[in-house]
Amino acid sequence: MTISIPESLTTLADDLREAADTARDGYTDSVAELEVASTAAGNSTGGPGLISAHVSVCDAAGTAVGRLAGVLEQDMDDIYACAFLFATTDEDAAERMRSEIPRLGGFVPYNPTVDWSVYDGSR
């Protein structure tokens, strides 16, 4: 089985994009369930402080999820760039190898079973 590094990196980047989307969508879809009515704590003296603290925690969670999704998306972009560089480097190396193959008058495909020494004395 041949493993392609660029394809593996692209798969990883796709997984990171999906994780970022899932985190952001999961929080966005559930944030309404976290809302608490201002009267939920009744008329207790600590009620308004409890509600205020709850709102602050929900806001902080939204910020944290947004930042997490942003980090995952940046990692995705960086990994896509690495995959592109791997693919480009592989193609450049393959082209250099193809151009360095000894040729006789025209195109001669590389064949490792050919004894090239009879042609140019170098192999």
Side-chain angles (χ1 to χ4, degrees), residues 32-55:
E33 296 173 18
L34 296 175
E35 291 180 11
V36 175
S38 61
T39 59
N43 60 0
S44 64
T45 56
L50 176 65
I51 299 300
S52 176
H54 178 76
V55 169

Side-chain angles (χ1 to χ4, degrees), residues 81-95:
C82 286
F84 175 77
L85 290 174
F86 264 106
T88 302
T89 302
D90 285 349
E91 288 300 317
D92 291 347
E95 184 56 37

Side-chain angles (χ1 to χ4, degrees), residues 17-116:
R17 180 185 39 79
E18 184 176 336
D21 291 345
T22 300
R24 187 177 286 119
D25 293 346
Y27 183 79
T28 302
D29 293 347
S30 301
V31 73
E33 296 173 18
L34 296 175
E35 291 180 11
V36 175
S38 61
T39 59
N43 60 0
S44 64
T45 56
L50 176 65
I51 299 300
S52 176
H54 178 76
V55 169
S56 295
V57 168
C58 290
D59 290 344
T63 300
V65 169
R67 288 180 180 168
L68 172 64
V71 167
L72 292 172
E73 289 169 348
Q74 183 60 53
D75 289 347
M76 173 201 68
D77 289 341
D78 294 343
I79 290 173
Y80 275 134
C82 286
F84 175 77
L85 290 174
F86 264 106
T88 302
T89 302
D90 285 349
E91 288 300 317
D92 291 347
E95 184 56 37
R96 276 194 312 276
M97 288 178 68
R98 283 191 287 274
S99 68
E100 293 172 2
I101 296 172
R103 299 172 192 272
L104 299 172
F107 177 75
V108 177
Y110 178 68
N111 184 342
T113 61
V114 173
D115 179 10
W116 293 102

